[in-house]
Amino acid sequence: LKHGCTWSKVVGKLLELYPAAVSIPDKESGLDPFQLAVVHGKDIETMFLLLKAYPQAIHAFSSSSSSTS
């Protein structure tokens, strides 16, 4: 995702082979895959499909945000 990979070109195929990848944060930034899709690729479609594949990412994100407030 940091290199601008899109769902149709790479990400969808990767998740078919390794579905757990959708829940693994980036080691350098700590961002979830759906966040990387927007930050690095500005790819809303990939972000949406990553969230659709792993909707728990929003809950985890909103829970950590509310606990730091």
Side-chain angles (χ1 to χ4, degrees):
L1 291 168
K2 287 192 268 187
H3 301 286
C5 298
T6 63
W7 184 269
S8 61
K9 291 185 179 179
V10 176
V11 179
K13 291 172 182 53
L14 173 66
L15 291 180
E16 284 179 23
L17 298 172
Y18 186 51
V22 74
S23 65
I24 301 172
D26 179 60
K27 288 182 182 180
E28 292 176 20
S29 67
L31 295 174
D32 286 325
F34 82 93
Q35 294 169 310
L36 286 174
V38 175
V39 170
H40 292 288
K42 309 287 189 263
D43 184 3
I44 300 299
E45 178 186 21
T46 299
M47 181 204 69
F48 171 77
L49 293 169
L50 285 166
L51 284 172
K52 187 176 175 186
Y54 187 64
Q56 298 88 334
I58 289 292
H59 178 71
F61 180 70
S62 64
S63 295
S64 66
S65 294
S66 63
S67 66
T68 59
S69 301

